[in-house]
Amino acid sequence: GELYPSFYGVVLEENFGEFPLKISFSDTMKWSITLFGRNVLVSTFNGLRSFPDDGRVKFKFALENEFENSKPELIKTLQEVMKQRHGSSAIVVKCKNNIEEHFSKLSKHNKAIKVEKFLDNNGVKEAAHMDGAIVIDFDTSEIKYLAVIVDGESSIPGDMSRGARFNSIKNFTYNIASDKIPIVSIVFSEDGGYDIFEGKNLLKENK
């Protein structure tokens, strides 16, 4: 019944066992291969192949622009959150002094959960499925707070075409950057896309 058919199959790999693979034709000379029906492995349009953006390069660039440095462990954590395909957000700051007091206050008012021990990959996966933002300490690359409900005075124009998560995280990032605190925030969407907010850039854009 489909104008452009799809083909299903099973691919065997020595280390991963069986997993469902799908080749979808969505238009003339346009097709894609997906894993588990959602993870795009490769897509082609008019003979040009493209591969999914895993965020690594853009995360690295944003962190270096804001903190003048980037850390492989931190980038891996961000990639792990991104892979969950669950609408979420991550805030990267140096958790000390005023910013630590801010998140601690949110925790006392039940607007954040303080993490008492190191989270491994399984812990990061569970954290990514919780509502609210994840706060990652730049210095240690560890998740410090979960389910953070960001608040604060509205300081910059919002975008009505985007959701509440996008606008609240963008506004929060701007407010923290206004206090001369380096910060990078990332909003992840369920389809695998993401938006990156760098404190320095937001200050320049909203002078």
mmCIF file of all heavy atoms in Angstrom, residues 175-207:
data_model
loop_
_atom_site.group_PDB
_atom_site.id
_atom_site.type_symbol
_atom_site.label_atom_id
_atom_site.label_comp_id
_atom_site.label_asym_id
_atom_site.label_seq_id
_atom_site.Cartn_x
_atom_site.Cartn_y
_atom_site.Cartn_z
ATOM 1 N N ASN A 175 20.906 34.139 31.844
ATOM 2 C CA ASN A 175 20.965 34.724 33.189
ATOM 3 C C ASN A 175 22.254 34.340 33.916
ATOM 4 O O ASN A 175 22.875 35.172 34.596
ATOM 5 C CB ASN A 175 19.751 34.284 34.007
ATOM 6 C CG ASN A 175 18.471 34.978 33.588
ATOM 7 O OD1 ASN A 175 18.514 36.066 32.993
ATOM 8 N ND2 ASN A 175 17.335 34.373 33.863
ATOM 9 N N ILE A 176 22.668 33.080 33.796
ATOM 10 C CA ILE A 176 23.905 32.641 34.442
ATOM 11 C C ILE A 176 25.105 33.323 33.786
ATOM 12 O O ILE A 176 26.035 33.787 34.474
ATOM 13 C CB ILE A 176 24.054 31.115 34.364
ATOM 14 C CG1 ILE A 176 22.918 30.427 35.148
ATOM 15 C CG2 ILE A 176 25.409 30.675 34.913
ATOM 16 C CD1 ILE A 176 22.853 30.783 36.618
ATOM 17 N N ALA A 177 25.096 33.404 32.465
ATOM 18 C CA ALA A 177 26.201 34.058 31.750
ATOM 19 C C ALA A 177 26.295 35.539 32.109
ATOM 20 O O ALA A 177 27.387 36.108 32.116
ATOM 21 C CB ALA A 177 26.015 33.887 30.243
ATOM 22 N N SER A 178 25.160 36.153 32.424
ATOM 23 C CA SER A 178 25.151 37.568 32.797
ATOM 24 C C SER A 178 25.916 37.812 34.089
ATOM 25 O O SER A 178 26.384 38.923 34.343
ATOM 26 C CB SER A 178 23.706 38.065 32.948
ATOM 27 O OG SER A 178 23.009 37.995 31.717
ATOM 28 N N ASP A 179 26.055 36.776 34.908
ATOM 29 C CA ASP A 179 26.834 36.870 36.140
ATOM 30 C C ASP A 179 28.298 36.502 35.913
ATOM 31 O O ASP A 179 29.025 36.205 36.866
ATOM 32 C CB ASP A 179 26.226 35.948 37.209
ATOM 33 C CG ASP A 179 24.883 36.450 37.698
ATOM 34 O OD1 ASP A 179 24.657 37.667 37.643
ATOM 35 O OD2 ASP A 179 24.055 35.615 38.127
ATOM 36 N N LYS A 180 28.691 36.472 34.638
ATOM 37 C CA LYS A 180 30.083 36.184 34.241
ATOM 38 C C LYS A 180 30.516 34.776 34.647
ATOM 39 O O LYS A 180 31.665 34.539 35.028
ATOM 40 C CB LYS A 180 31.034 37.227 34.828
ATOM 41 C CG LYS A 180 30.744 38.649 34.342
ATOM 42 C CD LYS A 180 31.729 39.646 34.930
ATOM 43 C CE LYS A 180 31.431 41.058 34.417
ATOM 44 N NZ LYS A 180 32.371 42.075 34.954
ATOM 45 N N ILE A 181 29.569 33.838 34.537
ATOM 46 C CA ILE A 181 29.849 32.439 34.831
ATOM 47 C C ILE A 181 29.805 31.657 33.511
ATOM 48 O O ILE A 181 28.789 31.665 32.820
ATOM 49 C CB ILE A 181 28.822 31.851 35.816
ATOM 50 C CG1 ILE A 181 28.900 32.580 37.159
ATOM 51 C CG2 ILE A 181 29.045 30.353 36.003
ATOM 52 C CD1 ILE A 181 27.832 32.160 38.141
ATOM 53 N N PRO A 182 30.884 31.000 33.124
ATOM 54 C CA PRO A 182 30.880 30.203 31.892
ATOM 55 C C PRO A 182 29.822 29.106 31.955
ATOM 56 O O PRO A 182 29.695 28.410 32.967
ATOM 57 C CB PRO A 182 32.291 29.604 31.845
ATOM 58 C CG PRO A 182 33.117 30.523 32.695
ATOM 59 C CD PRO A 182 32.202 30.979 33.797
ATOM 60 N N ILE A 183 29.078 28.934 30.880
ATOM 61 C CA ILE A 183 28.009 27.935 30.849
ATOM 62 C C ILE A 183 27.691 27.537 29.413
ATOM 63 O O ILE A 183 27.697 28.368 28.514
ATOM 64 C CB ILE A 183 26.736 28.466 31.550
ATOM 65 C CG1 ILE A 183 25.604 27.425 31.482
ATOM 66 C CG2 ILE A 183 26.304 29.802 30.966
ATOM 67 C CD1 ILE A 183 24.386 27.796 32.314
ATOM 68 N N VAL A 184 27.458 26.249 29.223
ATOM 69 C CA VAL A 184 26.981 25.711 27.948
ATOM 70 C C VAL A 184 25.784 24.827 28.257
ATOM 71 O O VAL A 184 25.858 23.964 29.133
ATOM 72 C CB VAL A 184 28.061 24.880 27.223
ATOM 73 C CG1 VAL A 184 27.456 24.140 26.031
ATOM 74 C CG2 VAL A 184 29.198 25.776 26.760
ATOM 75 N N SER A 185 24.687 25.061 27.559
ATOM 76 C CA SER A 185 23.485 24.253 27.753
ATOM 77 C C SER A 185 23.059 23.640 26.427
ATOM 78 O O SER A 185 23.209 24.263 25.373
ATOM 79 C CB SER A 185 22.342 25.104 28.317
ATOM 80 O OG SER A 185 22.695 25.669 29.563
ATOM 81 N N ILE A 186 22.538 22.426 26.494
ATOM 82 C CA ILE A 186 22.112 21.719 25.292
ATOM 83 C C ILE A 186 20.707 21.176 25.501
ATOM 84 O O ILE A 186 20.427 20.524 26.505
ATOM 85 C CB ILE A 186 23.063 20.564 24.952
ATOM 86 C CG1 ILE A 186 24.515 21.076 24.859
ATOM 87 C CG2 ILE A 186 22.668 19.897 23.636
ATOM 88 C CD1 ILE A 186 25.541 19.987 24.765
ATOM 89 N N VAL A 187 19.832 21.461 24.556
ATOM 90 C CA VAL A 187 18.463 20.952 24.594
ATOM 91 C C VAL A 187 18.357 19.844 23.550
ATOM 92 O O VAL A 187 18.598 20.072 22.360
ATOM 93 C CB VAL A 187 17.442 22.063 24.302
ATOM 94 C CG1 VAL A 187 16.027 21.490 24.299
ATOM 95 C CG2 VAL A 187 17.563 23.176 25.332
ATOM 96 N N PHE A 188 18.008 18.634 23.998
ATOM 97 C CA PHE A 188 17.896 17.474 23.113
ATOM 98 C C PHE A 188 16.429 17.198 22.798
ATOM 99 O O PHE A 188 15.581 17.211 23.692
ATOM 100 C CB PHE A 188 18.494 16.224 23.771
ATOM 101 C CG PHE A 188 19.943 16.363 24.143
ATOM 102 C CD1 PHE A 188 20.317 16.746 25.429
ATOM 103 C CD2 PHE A 188 20.932 16.121 23.212
ATOM 104 C CE1 PHE A 188 21.653 16.863 25.780
ATOM 105 C CE2 PHE A 188 22.273 16.250 23.559
ATOM 106 C CZ PHE A 188 22.633 16.618 24.837
ATOM 107 N N SER A 189 16.131 16.949 21.540
ATOM 108 C CA SER A 189 14.766 16.612 21.148
ATOM 109 C C SER A 189 14.645 15.104 20.938
ATOM 110 O O SER A 189 15.656 14.399 20.792
ATOM 111 C CB SER A 189 14.376 17.349 19.862
ATOM 112 O OG SER A 189 15.240 17.011 18.803
ATOM 113 N N GLU A 190 13.429 14.603 20.897
ATOM 114 C CA GLU A 190 13.208 13.167 20.788
ATOM 115 C C GLU A 190 13.649 12.602 19.446
ATOM 116 O O GLU A 190 13.916 11.405 19.338
ATOM 117 C CB GLU A 190 11.723 12.862 21.030
ATOM 118 C CG GLU A 190 11.265 13.175 22.450
ATOM 119 C CD GLU A 190 9.802 12.839 22.664
ATOM 120 O OE1 GLU A 190 9.154 12.405 21.694
ATOM 121 O OE2 GLU A 190 9.321 13.014 23.795
ATOM 122 N N ASP A 191 13.707 13.435 18.406
ATOM 123 C CA ASP A 191 14.096 12.939 17.086
ATOM 124 C C ASP A 191 15.610 12.895 16.895
ATOM 125 O O ASP A 191 16.098 12.574 15.811
ATOM 126 C CB ASP A 191 13.466 13.786 15.979
ATOM 127 C CG ASP A 191 13.933 15.245 16.002
ATOM 128 O OD1 ASP A 191 14.811 15.569 16.835
ATOM 129 O OD2 ASP A 191 13.428 16.038 15.209
ATOM 130 N N GLY A 192 16.361 13.217 17.964
ATOM 131 C CA GLY A 192 17.808 13.155 17.865
ATOM 132 C C GLY A 192 18.473 14.487 17.604
ATOM 133 O O GLY A 192 19.694 14.588 17.630
ATOM 134 N N GLY A 193 17.684 15.523 17.346
ATOM 135 C CA GLY A 193 18.251 16.846 17.124
ATOM 136 C C GLY A 193 18.613 17.515 18.439
ATOM 137 O O GLY A 193 18.274 17.032 19.526
ATOM 138 N N TYR A 194 19.307 18.634 18.355
ATOM 139 C CA TYR A 194 19.691 19.341 19.575
ATOM 140 C C TYR A 194 20.008 20.800 19.257
ATOM 141 O O TYR A 194 20.298 21.171 18.120
ATOM 142 C CB TYR A 194 20.914 18.674 20.214
ATOM 143 C CG TYR A 194 22.130 18.592 19.312
ATOM 144 C CD1 TYR A 194 23.062 19.632 19.265
ATOM 145 C CD2 TYR A 194 22.335 17.490 18.494
ATOM 146 C CE1 TYR A 194 24.170 19.565 18.432
ATOM 147 C CE2 TYR A 194 23.436 17.415 17.660
ATOM 148 C CZ TYR A 194 24.348 18.456 17.627
ATOM 149 O OH TYR A 194 25.427 18.391 16.794
ATOM 150 N N ASP A 195 19.911 21.628 20.282
ATOM 151 C CA ASP A 195 20.273 23.045 20.202
ATOM 152 C C ASP A 195 21.301 23.331 21.292
ATOM 153 O O ASP A 195 21.130 22.911 22.439
ATOM 154 C CB ASP A 195 19.049 23.944 20.415
ATOM 155 C CG ASP A 195 18.022 23.808 19.295
ATOM 156 O OD1 ASP A 195 18.220 24.436 18.247
ATOM 157 O OD2 ASP A 195 17.038 23.070 19.486
ATOM 158 N N ILE A 196 22.356 24.050 20.940
ATOM 159 C CA ILE A 196 23.413 24.384 21.887
ATOM 160 C C ILE A 196 23.380 25.877 22.189
ATOM 161 O O ILE A 196 23.323 26.696 21.275
ATOM 162 C CB ILE A 196 24.804 24.014 21.329
ATOM 163 C CG1 ILE A 196 24.879 22.519 21.028
ATOM 164 C CG2 ILE A 196 25.903 24.408 22.309
ATOM 165 C CD1 ILE A 196 26.200 22.088 20.405
ATOM 166 N N PHE A 197 23.409 26.208 23.475
ATOM 167 C CA PHE A 197 23.465 27.607 23.908
ATOM 168 C C PHE A 197 24.782 27.846 24.642
ATOM 169 O O PHE A 197 25.053 27.201 25.649
ATOM 170 C CB PHE A 197 22.295 27.945 24.827
ATOM 171 C CG PHE A 197 20.950 27.747 24.196
ATOM 172 C CD1 PHE A 197 20.045 26.856 24.743
ATOM 173 C CD2 PHE A 197 20.600 28.438 23.047
ATOM 174 C CE1 PHE A 197 18.804 26.658 24.164
ATOM 175 C CE2 PHE A 197 19.359 28.246 22.460
ATOM 176 C CZ PHE A 197 18.459 27.352 23.015
ATOM 177 N N GLU A 198 25.571 28.740 24.117
ATOM 178 C CA GLU A 198 26.813 29.135 24.772
ATOM 179 C C GLU A 198 26.602 30.486 25.441
ATOM 180 O O GLU A 198 26.057 31.404 24.824
ATOM 181 C CB GLU A 198 27.949 29.233 23.752
ATOM 182 C CG GLU A 198 28.236 27.949 23.021
ATOM 183 C CD GLU A 198 29.203 28.172 21.864
ATOM 184 O OE1 GLU A 198 30.074 29.059 21.985
ATOM 185 O OE2 GLU A 198 29.079 27.481 20.846
ATOM 186 N N GLY A 199 27.026 30.598 26.693
ATOM 187 C CA GLY A 199 26.820 31.846 27.435
ATOM 188 C C GLY A 199 27.368 33.067 26.721
ATOM 189 O O GLY A 199 26.681 34.074 26.583
ATOM 190 N N LYS A 200 28.596 32.981 26.241
ATOM 191 C CA LYS A 200 29.220 34.121 25.571
ATOM 192 C C LYS A 200 28.426 34.562 24.342
ATOM 193 O O LYS A 200 28.227 35.758 24.105
ATOM 194 C CB LYS A 200 30.656 33.766 25.162
ATOM 195 C CG LYS A 200 31.610 33.585 26.324
ATOM 196 C CD LYS A 200 32.999 33.198 25.811
ATOM 197 C CE LYS A 200 33.984 32.984 26.952
ATOM 198 N NZ LYS A 200 35.323 32.567 26.461
ATOM 199 N N ASN A 201 27.983 33.602 23.553
ATOM 200 C CA ASN A 201 27.231 33.928 22.353
ATOM 201 C C ASN A 201 25.885 34.561 22.666
ATOM 202 O O ASN A 201 25.447 35.498 21.977
ATOM 203 C CB ASN A 201 27.041 32.685 21.484
ATOM 204 C CG ASN A 201 28.312 32.253 20.801
ATOM 205 O OD1 ASN A 201 29.295 33.000 20.757
ATOM 206 N ND2 ASN A 201 28.320 31.043 20.267
ATOM 207 N N LEU A 202 25.208 34.050 23.699
ATOM 208 C CA LEU A 202 23.916 34.617 24.071
ATOM 209 C C LEU A 202 24.066 36.063 24.525
ATOM 210 O O LEU A 202 23.209 36.915 24.227
ATOM 211 C CB LEU A 202 23.265 33.793 25.177
ATOM 212 C CG LEU A 202 22.612 32.469 24.744
ATOM 213 C CD1 LEU A 202 22.007 31.773 25.962
ATOM 214 C CD2 LEU A 202 21.542 32.684 23.686
ATOM 215 N N LEU A 203 25.137 36.362 25.245
ATOM 216 C CA LEU A 203 25.370 37.740 25.688
ATOM 217 C C LEU A 203 25.604 38.661 24.494
ATOM 218 O O LEU A 203 25.107 39.789 24.469
ATOM 219 C CB LEU A 203 26.572 37.787 26.632
ATOM 220 C CG LEU A 203 26.399 37.120 28.002
ATOM 221 C CD1 LEU A 203 27.707 37.207 28.792
ATOM 222 C CD2 LEU A 203 25.268 37.773 28.795
ATOM 223 N N LYS A 204 26.338 38.184 23.493
ATOM 224 C CA LYS A 204 26.588 38.988 22.305
ATOM 225 C C LYS A 204 25.307 39.220 21.506
ATOM 226 O O LYS A 204 25.074 40.314 20.982
ATOM 227 C CB LYS A 204 27.624 38.306 21.410
ATOM 228 C CG LYS A 204 29.019 38.245 22.010
ATOM 229 C CD LYS A 204 29.964 37.502 21.076
ATOM 230 C CE LYS A 204 31.361 37.394 21.670
ATOM 231 N NZ LYS A 204 32.278 36.629 20.785
ATOM 232 N N GLU A 205 24.477 38.174 21.422
ATOM 233 C CA GLU A 205 23.253 38.260 20.614
ATOM 234 C C GLU A 205 22.178 39.113 21.275
ATOM 235 O O GLU A 205 21.255 39.582 20.606
ATOM 236 C CB GLU A 205 22.705 36.858 20.378
ATOM 237 C CG GLU A 205 23.600 35.983 19.532
ATOM 238 C CD GLU A 205 23.182 34.523 19.528
ATOM 239 O OE1 GLU A 205 22.160 34.218 20.218
ATOM 240 O OE2 GLU A 205 23.838 33.700 18.881
ATOM 241 N N ASN A 206 22.273 39.309 22.574
ATOM 242 C CA ASN A 206 21.209 40.024 23.306
ATOM 243 C C ASN A 206 21.754 41.244 24.063
ATOM 244 O O ASN A 206 21.372 41.499 25.205
ATOM 245 C CB ASN A 206 20.520 39.071 24.276
ATOM 246 C CG ASN A 206 19.796 37.939 23.567
ATOM 247 O OD1 ASN A 206 18.655 38.080 23.161
ATOM 248 N ND2 ASN A 206 20.480 36.793 23.444
ATOM 249 N N LYS A 207 22.632 41.976 23.413
ATOM 250 C CA LYS A 207 23.157 43.201 24.049
ATOM 251 C C LYS A 207 22.091 44.267 24.134
ATOM 252 O O LYS A 207 21.261 44.409 23.246
ATOM 253 C CB LYS A 207 24.354 43.723 23.227
ATOM 254 C CG LYS A 207 25.617 42.895 23.406
ATOM 255 C CD LYS A 207 26.778 43.538 22.671
ATOM 256 C CE LYS A 207 28.067 42.770 22.890
ATOM 257 N NZ LYS A 207 29.207 43.397 22.164
#
